[in-house]
Amino acid sequence: MKRHRNATAPGTDTATQNTSAAAAYNLFDLLSDEIVFAILDFLAASNPLDTKSFSLVCRSFYLVESRHRRVLRPLRHDHLPRILSRYPNVARLDLSLCPRITDASLALVSRTSSADSLRSIDLSRSRFFSYSGLLSLVLNCRNLVEIDLSNATQLRDAAASAVAEAKNLEKLWLGRCKLITDMGVGCIAVGCKKLKLISFKWCLGVTDLGVELIAVKCKELRSLDLSYLPVTNECLPAILKLQYLEDLVLEGCFGIDDDGLAALQHGCKSLKMLDMSSCQNITHVGLSSLISGAGRLQQLTLAYGSSVTLALANSLKMLPSLQSIKLDGCFVTSSGLKAIGSLCISLKELSLSKCVGVTDDGLSSLVIKQRDLKKLDITCCRKITDVSIAHITSTCTNLASLRMESCTLVPREAFVLVGQRCHLLEELDLTDNEIDDEGLKSISRCAKLSSLKLGICLNISDDGLSHIGAYCSKLTELDLYRSAGITDPGILAIASGCPDIEMINMSYCQDITDSSLISLSKCSKLKTFESRGCPLITSLGLAAIAVGCRQLNKLDIKKCHNISDAGMLPLSHFSQNLRQITLSYTSVTDVGLLSLASISCLQSITVLHLKGLTASGLAAALLACGGLIKVKLHASFKPLLPQLLFEHLEARGCVFEWRDKEFQAELDPQCWKLQLEDVAQ
């Protein structure tokens, strides 16, 4: 249909006509919802705050954004009525940040217009709800396919029977629901036959009977987590008959042993992931029985289990598809590592973190055939030297992740090889190593690097860090904890060359001043900032961070003695996304602490040894900060605060932690490292 042009009075100029036409006719209305939703998806991916700005443009944009939103993660339960009425098409409701979710809250969810669209709800950190709230939820939200009830330690079998009414449920997490027994599990097994994933981690009331009921009734199970359950070998035959089972976690199942596994006639052919961490009673004998016929197994975790010997390695030869092996905390032998290298030639991930017995001979023999390796973790393998690094870097040139914290015998020259040969690295952890500026200069060739950890690296300086800033523009995470050679020029190089930085830790880099913070204030995506133990930082620098980094959600300024109330006021005004703050040993007083009440997102606060803080000021701040869920205080305040205050805050879902630490003087970085090495030995 042709639109008619509005009549225009004679003498009206063209500019006025165009302005009037634009006001009367919104070109944005020509776009379909699908196109507008695609634009909003793009905005949300680049910066979630942009979608909020979009909704504030005009009423039509506000309504479009309301229809578009599919995921909600409110910070406070009292926001639920307003946001549920605004967003009618929510498919996933994450309440893990709301500790106080009552039966009334769940009833409210079940009555809203989004009840029909709701498919997933996360209650993993919530408390105060019971059977009746869950029953109301599942009866009215018939399309629910995912429910996370982890850590709901108050729930009993009655609550499990309510969950059983969710007939379309496919995924259920019950981690640490210690009061649920086999009777409740039986209700779930009968009512939720479409289950594809269930986690019973630390459900100490669930035994072999409950597991067998799930295995018999829920034939479509793909993922089963039995971590730390008091189960025995009796439940295994039923589990292994699940023809679609892909992920099986038996971590800490001490009742399962070699005798029971050896009696099995066959393994599970459909398995793709098996976790047998901390299964002290299972050796290569039982493992061989469990994985027999499991030719599709891709990921195997045996952390903190039996020794990695030649016999255990030989049992892996029946796994041609194996891509990931995690042996963290195990005692390993060189013969075992050599055999793994020869038998498992398609590995993409290998983790030997904190393994005892890793030597140059064993590790070099293992990696020399692993040309497809993408991830390698050799954290705390303290016996390896540059020999291992030479073999790793010459063979595993496709590495995307290398973690080698505290490999203290590796000399500084070896780190040059990492940069020369492993150009595809995205994650590199060199914490507590001998790397120097030449090593950093070499590593700067890794243009894809997004995460770099250089904590307790005492040989690096601004010169080396400037190379990282110049060539690693994709860096989003940088850890410089206790790397005392780093000062303002190094941080300036990072701020200038890495505009997408989201996390930086420069704690105990004692020569850092406000200049570093002013330079970092231009990094608008910064979310986590840790500068504890930097005595030269003042409120001026903190104010710059508050003004420039509006996405900041975690702040640690412990032992920044020159930060006072003057730094808190800009935070209270500009840092509206701040969720966690540590203020211990600063010069903040009652006034500064109370000003933080204007940050509605604030959930966690640590306050130890604030000389200017009084009991009355603390009480006022705690009452005013309505979203607090965790407060860490010095024990001296406990008798000074009224009991009614604690009861009121705990009823809101707040948890108190008390510390009785005396004031501690800061050690020189070199002395601190020597103390750490003494503890490690």
Side-chain angles (χ1 to χ4, degrees):
M1 183 173 127
K2 192 179 291 185
R3 293 181 181 272
H4 297 284
R5 187 188 298 266
N6 291 334
T8 305
T12 305
D13 60 52
T14 305
T16 304
Q17 294 177 28
N18 292 339
T19 303
S20 301
Y25 190 70
N26 186 356
L27 293 176
F28 207 83
D29 291 338
L30 295 176
L31 301 179
S32 65
D33 278 356
E34 289 77 10
I35 295 176
V36 178
F37 287 177
I39 294 172
L40 286 170
D41 288 338
F42 175 79
L43 291 176
S46 59
N47 184 356
L49 296 179
D50 289 343
T51 57
K52 181 178 181 179
S53 300
F54 176 93
S55 68
L56 296 175
V57 172
C58 61
R59 180 172 175 78
S60 64
F61 280 25
Y62 179 90
L63 295 174
V64 167
E65 196 271 335
S66 296
R67 295 198 308 273
H68 168 263
R69 185 73 69 92
R70 295 290 185 272
V71 179
L72 285 180
R73 196 185 190 200
L75 293 169
R76 294 166 58 172
H77 73 280
D78 50 341
H79 292 166
L80 276 176
R82 178 172 55 84
I83 62 175
L84 289 175
S85 63
R86 175 178 173 181
Y87 300 107
N89 299 319
V90 174
R92 173 171 171 75
L93 182 58
D94 185 348
L95 298 174
S96 60
L97 296 177
C98 302
R100 183 172 178 80
I101 295 296
T102 63
D103 291 337
S105 303
L106 296 182
L108 174 66
V109 173
S110 66
R111 291 196 305 267
T112 59
S113 56
S114 60
D116 291 335
S117 62
L118 191 63
R119 295 177 57 81
S120 172
I121 188 166
D122 187 343
L123 296 163
S124 60
R125 298 289 178 182
S126 305
R127 304 188 299 279
F128 302 102
F129 62 89
S130 66
Y131 155 82
S132 59
L134 283 174
L135 185 62
S136 174
L137 178 73
V138 300
L139 289 179
N140 292 284
C141 302
R142 289 294 185 178
N143 292 316
L144 270 176
V145 295
E146 296 182 7
I147 301 178
D148 192 342
L149 297 174
S150 301
N151 305 303
T153 54
Q154 79 279 9
L155 296 183
R156 298 179 178 271
D157 289 336
S161 67
V163 172
E165 297 298 323
K167 304 301 181 183
N168 293 313
L169 201 62
E170 296 180 4
K171 296 182 179 181
L172 176 62
W173 290 268
L174 295 172
R176 295 186 182 275
C177 293
K178 298 180 181 181
L179 299 181
I180 291 179
T181 70
D182 294 335
M183 183 176 295
V185 173
C187 295
I188 293 172
V190 173
C192 305
K193 295 184 178 180
K194 294 182 180 181
L195 275 177
K196 295 180 180 179
L197 177 151
I198 189 164
S199 173
F200 290 121
K201 187 172 185 177
W202 283 107
C203 291
L204 301 181
V206 178
T207 68
D208 290 325
L209 176 60
V211 175
E212 288 177 296
L213 287 171
I214 285 288
V216 170
K217 295 293 184 180
C218 303
K219 300 290 188 182
E220 298 183 26
L221 268 182
R222 265 75 167 171
S223 179
L224 180 61
D225 188 345
L226 305 179
S227 299
Y228 299 99
L229 261 61
V231 294
T232 68
N233 301 315
E234 292 182 14
C235 66
L236 291 176
I239 293 173
L240 298 182
K241 289 178 182 177
L242 290 165
Q243 57 180 332
Y244 302 114
L245 189 64
E246 296 179 350
D247 299 344
L248 177 60
V249 182
L250 299 174
E251 180 180 0
C253 292
F254 305 115
I256 298 176
D257 57 27
D258 281 347
D259 293 338
L261 292 173
L264 297 174
Q265 296 181 351
H266 60 83
C268 186
K269 296 181 179 180
S270 59
L271 270 186
K272 292 184 179 180
M273 188 279 286
L274 176 62
D275 187 344
M276 299 178 65
S277 302
S278 302
C279 290
Q280 304 290 344
N281 298 321
I282 298 176
T283 67
H284 67 279
V285 177
L287 179 63
S288 297
S289 300
L290 188 57
I291 63 177
S292 63
R296 298 172 60 190
L297 195 69
Q298 298 176 0
Q299 181 177 332
L300 178 62
T301 303
L302 302 174
Y304 300 97
S306 60
S307 299
V308 180
T309 61
L310 178 61
L312 186 142
N314 285 333
S315 67
L316 305 181
K317 62 185 177 182
M318 61 185 75
L319 303 174
S321 301
L322 195 61
Q323 296 181 2
S324 172
I325 301 179
K326 297 179 181 179
L327 303 171
D328 302 353
C330 292
F331 176 81
V332 301
T333 63
S334 292
S335 59
L337 291 181
K338 290 178 182 179
I340 290 175
S342 299
L343 297 171
C344 307
I345 57 175
S346 300
L347 288 182
K348 293 184 178 179
E349 180 178 12
L350 174 64
S351 185
L352 299 171
S353 174
K354 301 179 181 178
C355 284
V356 178
V358 178
T359 62
D360 285 334
D361 181 38
L363 183 57
S364 299
S365 299
L366 191 159
V367 301
I368 200 168
K369 297 181 181 179
Q370 305 300 329
R371 298 191 178 276
D372 295 327
L373 202 64
K374 302 287 187 184
K375 295 182 178 181
L376 176 62
D377 190 342
I378 48 175
T379 297
C380 294
C381 292
R382 300 180 186 275
K383 294 182 179 180
I384 66 171
T385 68
D386 56 325
V387 175
S388 292
I389 303 303
H391 282 95
I392 290 169
T393 55
S394 62
T395 304
C396 310
T397 55
N398 293 318
L399 276 178
S401 173
L402 175 59
R403 299 179 180 179
M404 50 179 297
E405 176 183 347
S406 298
C407 294
T408 48
L409 291 185
V410 176
R412 62 185 67 185
E413 296 80 14
F415 296 99
V416 176
L417 299 177
V418 176
Q420 288 178 345
R421 298 171 178 176
C422 301
H423 295 162
L424 302 180
L425 278 172
E426 299 174 16
E427 178 188 17
L428 182 59
D429 186 351
L430 300 177
T431 304
D432 188 21
N433 275 291
E434 295 300 315
I435 186 172
D436 60 7
D437 289 341
E438 284 301 312
L440 285 184
K441 182 178 179 180
S442 179
I443 286 168
S444 69
R445 302 178 188 182
C446 304
K448 294 185 176 182
L449 203 62
S450 62
S451 175
L452 178 60
K453 295 185 178 181
L454 298 169
I456 326 176
C457 293
L458 304 183
N459 300 320
I460 64 173
S461 70
D462 296 331
D463 183 46
L465 197 60
S466 65
H467 290 284
I468 298 297
Y471 300 107
C472 300
S473 60
K474 295 184 178 180
L475 200 67
T476 60
E477 179 181 358
L478 178 62
D479 187 351
L480 299 168
Y481 176 81
R482 289 189 185 272
S483 293
I486 302 301
T487 65
D488 292 334
I491 301 300
L492 175 60
I494 293 297
S496 302
C498 309
D500 294 331
I501 197 82
E502 296 180 5
M503 177 272 180
I504 187 166
N505 184 350
M506 49 191 191
S507 298
Y508 301 105
C509 296
Q510 297 188 350
D511 293 326
I512 294 290
T513 72
D514 288 338
S515 296
S516 290
L517 278 66
I518 292 171
S519 63
L520 285 170
S521 67
K522 298 178 177 62
C523 300
S524 59
K525 296 183 180 180
L526 190 66
K527 296 178 180 178
T528 299
F529 180 68
E530 300 182 44
S531 63
R532 65 167 58 188
C534 295
L536 302 182
I537 290 176
T538 72
S539 298
L540 179 64
L542 184 59
I545 292 289
V547 173
C549 307
R550 304 292 181 91
Q551 296 188 46
L552 191 70
N553 59 42
K554 180 181 178 181
L555 176 65
D556 187 344
I557 50 174
K558 178 180 179 180
K559 295 187 178 180
C560 293
H561 309 294
N562 289 317
I563 291 181
S564 63
D565 296 340
M568 296 300 101
L569 297 177
L571 276 180
S572 65
H573 184 71
F574 296 104
S575 300
Q576 289 302 306
N577 291 297
L578 193 64
R579 295 183 185 176
Q580 181 178 338
I581 187 169
T582 300
L583 295 171
S584 304
Y585 300 92
T586 63
S587 298
V588 175
T589 70
D590 296 347
V591 175
L593 193 62
L594 187 58
S595 71
L596 298 180
S598 63
I599 305 176
S600 61
C601 292
L602 191 61
Q603 293 191 314
S604 175
I605 188 167
T606 299
V607 181
L608 300 174
H609 294 288
L610 293 188
K611 294 182 180 179
L613 185 64
T614 66
S616 58
L618 176 59
L622 293 177
L623 283 172
C625 296
L628 288 178
I629 62 176
K630 182 179 179 181
V631 177
K632 189 180 294 186
L633 297 171
H634 195 273
S636 60
F637 277 110
K638 194 170 186 178
L640 302 178
L641 297 172
Q643 184 62 32
L644 288 176
L645 174 67
F646 296 131
E647 294 175 0
H648 174 73
L649 292 174
E650 288 170 353
R652 290 194 323 204
C654 185
V655 175
F656 285 88
E657 293 185 13
W658 300 97
R659 295 291 183 269
D660 195 17
K661 298 172 79 173
E662 296 183 2
F663 183 88
Q664 296 177 335
E666 189 53 43
L667 291 173
D668 174 81
Q670 188 66 48
C671 296
W672 183 89
K673 185 174 181 178
L674 291 173
Q675 282 193 359
L676 184 68
E677 290 174 351
D678 289 341
V679 172
Q681 292 173 359

